[in-house]
Amino acid sequence: MSGFVAHALSREESKMNVEQARFNMIEQQIRPWDVLDPSVLSLLAVVKREDFVPAAHRAVAFMDLEVPLPGGQVMLAPRVEARLLQELGLLRHEKVLEVGTGSGFMAALMAHKAQTVVTYEKRAELASLARENLRHAAIMNVEVRQGDGSNGDAGRGPWDAIVLSGSVAEVPEALLQQLKVGGRLVAIVGTEPVMRALRIRRISEREFRTEVLFDTVAPHLEGFASPSRFAF
């Protein structure tokens, strides 16, 4: 067997191993965590999570854990990302705000389901990494903005959906006020060891409805304050 053929076979085998790992992630981690929306499951099979994972950690790209990112930050576990995406219930015409870009993977997923995504990342190194990852994935409807997103972006709002990709002790009033009527915000709220994913829907100009979605624990997003109104 020539070296060229051996290399080609090795590359094909590696590709098959990646696809098997992706399949296992979806079937063994994500689906059992009540992620049953076919559009979400099919998206997870298409958007290449491994391309949003730093090269040093690609071996754990599909494992049920938080993947380390530069600056001591992490990607949320795959099942948590998938569940948050499902609970947002995005529609193709909608405009989404994300706080906590990380490597850009969650933004990439949302970009396939929404019209536009604006995502804020406090750390310049991660904002740059996310832009490069999204460019490499040929995703054109995401804008990565470097800065503190804890107060949202009122100038570009109101938003159909807001997601906080990390935990907060409370949801700032400023973010809630940037939701359209009928819009929703999904966040992991609380302090260790008790955190809950919540969906807060704006019912009217003055009324909000809060649903508890599931219990989990996630790293705290930088720049957010201590508990009050919607904290548990």
Side-chain angles (χ1 to χ4, degrees), residues 73-129:
Q73 304 303 295
V74 298
M75 291 176 70
L76 295 177
R79 59 190 170 89
V80 175
E81 291 171 325
R83 187 73 185 273
L84 293 176
L85 181 65
Q86 175 176 267
E87 301 299 349
L88 275 172
L90 296 176
L91 300 173
R92 195 63 201 155
H93 67 276
E94 292 186 318
K95 184 169 64 171
V96 185
L97 174 67
E98 179 189 28
V99 183
T101 314
S103 69
F105 183 64
M106 187 68 170
L109 293 172
M110 294 190 295
H112 284 271
K113 294 182 71 67
Q115 184 177 82
T116 58
V117 178
V118 176
T119 179
Y120 273 80
E121 173 52 55
K122 194 167 185 179
R123 293 174 179 259
E125 182 181 10
L126 284 180
S128 177
L129 174 66

Side-chain angles (χ1 to χ4, degrees), residues 167-170 188-192 194-196 218 220 227 230-232:
S167 70
V168 295
E170 67 173 352
I188 298 167
V189 181
T191 54
E192 290 193 75
V194 180
M195 296 183 186
R196 290 172 175 167
H220 191 75
F230 287 108
F232 281 76

Side-chain angles (χ1 to χ4, degrees), residues 3 22 27 42 56 71 73 76-77 83 93 97 104 110 116 120 124 127 165 171 182 187 203-205 213:
R22 194 188 323 280
E27 296 300 322
S42 62
Q73 304 303 295
L76 295 177
R83 187 73 185 273
H93 67 276
L97 174 67
M110 294 190 295
T116 58
Y120 273 80
S165 290
V171 177
I203 305 303
S204 67
E205 287 298 324
L213 302 172

Side-chain angles (χ1 to χ4, degrees), residues 8-189:
L9 288 173
S10 175
R11 191 167 57 183
E12 189 62 28
E13 182 179 350
S14 176
K15 183 178 176 182
M16 289 174 61
N17 289 341
V18 167
E19 293 310 316
Q20 184 63 51
R22 194 188 323 280
F23 176 84
N24 291 344
M25 174 190 75
I26 293 169
E27 296 300 322
Q28 297 173 14
Q29 299 171 39
I30 292 172
R31 194 187 289 272
W33 229 49
D34 291 331
V35 179
L36 303 174
D37 182 336
S39 69
V40 171
L41 294 172
S42 62
L43 195 55
L44 291 164
V46 170
V47 180
K48 297 188 180 301
R49 178 178 169 86
E50 66 274 20
D51 289 347
F52 291 82
V53 173
H57 301 293
R58 282 190 183 157
V60 298
F62 303 108
M63 292 186 181
D64 185 21
L65 47 77
E66 292 160 355
V67 176
L69 294 174
Q73 304 303 295
V74 298
M75 291 176 70
L76 295 177
R79 59 190 170 89
V80 175
E81 291 171 325
R83 187 73 185 273
L84 293 176
L85 181 65
Q86 175 176 267
E87 301 299 349
L88 275 172
L90 296 176
L91 300 173
R92 195 63 201 155
H93 67 276
E94 292 186 318
K95 184 169 64 171
V96 185
L97 174 67
E98 179 189 28
V99 183
T101 314
S103 69
F105 183 64
M106 187 68 170
L109 293 172
M110 294 190 295
H112 284 271
K113 294 182 71 67
Q115 184 177 82
T116 58
V117 178
V118 176
T119 179
Y120 273 80
E121 173 52 55
K122 194 167 185 179
R123 293 174 179 259
E125 182 181 10
L126 284 180
S128 177
L129 174 66
R131 288 190 193 101
E132 178 59 24
N133 288 340
L134 290 161
R135 185 198 65 76
H136 184 262
I139 293 172
M140 308 301 292
N141 59 332
V142 175
E143 180 183 355
V144 179
R145 295 180 64 82
Q146 194 264 310
D148 183 356
S150 60
N151 289 314
D153 189 336
R156 291 165 185 254
W159 305 93
D160 296 290
I162 299 174
V163 62
L164 308 185
S165 290
S167 70
V168 295
E170 67 173 352
V171 177
E173 185 73 21
L175 288 179
L176 296 174
Q177 293 304 325
Q178 290 172 39
L179 283 173
K180 291 180 181 178
V181 173
R184 58 271 179 219
L185 179 149
V186 171
I188 298 167
V189 181

